Amino acid sequence: SGTLNLEAIRKDFPILNTKVYGKQLVYLDNGATTQKPQSVIDAVDRYYQQYNSNVHRGVHLLSQQATEAYEAARKTIASFIHTKHEHEVIFTKGTTDGINLVASCFGRAFLKPGDSILISAMEHHSNIVPWQMICEEKGATVKVIPMDTKGVLQMDALSALLDDSVKLVACTYVSNSLGTVNPVRDIIAQAHAKGIPVLIDAAQAIQHIPVDVQELDVDFMVFSGHKLYGPTGIGALYGKEEWLNKLPPYQGGGDMIKTVTFAKTVYNELPYKFEAGTPDMSGAIGLAAAIDYVQGIGLAAIQQAEQELLQYALKQLSQIEGLRFIGESPERSGVISFLYKNTHPFDVGELLDKQGIAVRTGHHCCQPVMDFLEIPGTARASFAFYNTFEEVDMLVAGIKKAAAMLD
Ligand code: PMP
């Protein structure tokens, strides 16, 4: 690819030089988590070495510096996803935490017996189970937008599914198991036409596709820092101000209150109402450094380079006899799920691992997808902008070697 200067970029990620089993690491498990550039590692390091302190409470200088950096991180996220207000960004532990927050708070405020939540057939467990839990509590049900065997949502079914019982639609932007990029604009428009709010799981989108929450007109959006080249344990929930103001708080504790007496507590304003307790300051600062890094390259350039890599990989892999792609949506992101003949995906994964090639195998937290396709799971290669055409070639050679051993 001529789009990005990969030689320079790869030097920014120390782990990419690692050897496993004495072989050069080929890291193709970016859908699970991405590697971190030195600037992120340094930002976290600098925080602990120079100004670690609790936020929002101290009169002293370090606390003021920590608070400023934490709030600056919020601002970085807000401008990255183009929110109207900074206080529409809530720090979370990640995607799972963000969905649980919305499911719990929205469910407590708005769900009653007979209501339903509409999700899609390709959701990650984290966008299924929290809805099942709150629906069970409230006597509501979870309904599903079906998909076809290529892993494409059956949009012609959507209109009938959006009946009066639906109180919220929760759908993934990009499928982590199939690579499908869903028509979220269309889903949001159809839901809004019936006055129904929409949550988008952007865990696999935020690092690949430029996202503008105002242009999408999405009501809630969640993502994880660790899939966006940032630290683990930090993520963000975006919510439209009007919706966040309508929800009750999630957890109670310090920081989320204005005043507390034993008789009555007055909750804090946004965003603090949803951030009980000491937050992950170093995580937030690291995430902001990751976003700065990504913006330094530019998401449009990243998207183009990753699409070129994906098309190359699809072409090369399709020449391996007996290899079958799982997920064949024409609209897709840098995820390739596959099976080799009737072998178990774990066996291919293990044989690739021994060659230094890291892929993931299994159901990828999408058991309903695997049940629907009647497969035990897949082997999955997932790409980041730092992956090279040579690494794709190594994957192809690695699969051929594994295939020879399995045949
Ligand atoms: N949704 C999707 C589409 C994902 O890919 C993932 C992570 N595999 C999650 C949700 C959950 O993210 P996390 O584990 O970071 O909370």
Side-chain angles (χ1 to χ4, degrees), residues 31-33 93-99 122-127 172-177 201-205 207 222-227 233-234 360 364-366 380:
T33 200
K93 288 190 285 182
T95 304
T96 304
D97 192 35
I99 297 170
M122 64 179 81
E123 297 310 313
H124 187 279
H125 295 163
S126 65
N127 203 22
T172 197
Y173 198 149
V174 175
S175 158
N176 66 308
S177 58
D201 172 353
Q204 298 290 347
Q207 65 282 55
V222 290
F223 64 89
S224 301
H226 70 98
K227 295 181 199 274
I234 189 80
R360 197 170 200 78
H364 317 295
C365 294
C366 295
R380 181 189 75 178

Side-chain angles (χ1 to χ4, degrees), residues 9-10 31 41 43 92 109 131 175 179 191 208 210 225 292 321 396 398 400:
I9 283 174
R10 287 179 69 87
I41 300 168
T92 64
W131 301 113
S175 158
H208 301 301
D292 286 343
E321 206 194 304
V396 172
K400 283 183 178 160

Side-chain angles (χ1 to χ4, degrees), residues 85-162:
H85 308 288
E86 279 164 39
H87 58 248
E88 291 173 315
V89 174
I90 311 293
F91 280 113
T92 64
K93 288 190 285 182
T95 304
T96 304
D97 192 35
I99 297 170
N100 274 277
L101 187 160
V102 177
S104 169
C105 299
F106 186 92
R108 277 187 283 140
F110 298 114
L111 284 183
K112 49 184 193 330
D115 288 347
S116 68
I117 298 290
L118 184 60
I119 65 173
S120 92
M122 64 179 81
E123 297 310 313
H124 187 279
H125 295 163
S126 65
N127 203 22
I128 303 173
V129 185
W131 301 113
Q132 289 174 326
M133 288 165 65
I134 192 70
C135 282
E136 186 173 355
E137 210 175 300
K138 294 289 174 183
T141 53
V142 173
K143 299 202 301 180
V144 181
I145 310 167
M147 66 174 176
D148 64 20
T149 52
K150 284 188 173 350
V152 175
L153 287 183
Q154 295 184 326
M155 290 296 287
D156 47 359
L158 182 59
S159 161
L161 282 164
L162 285 169

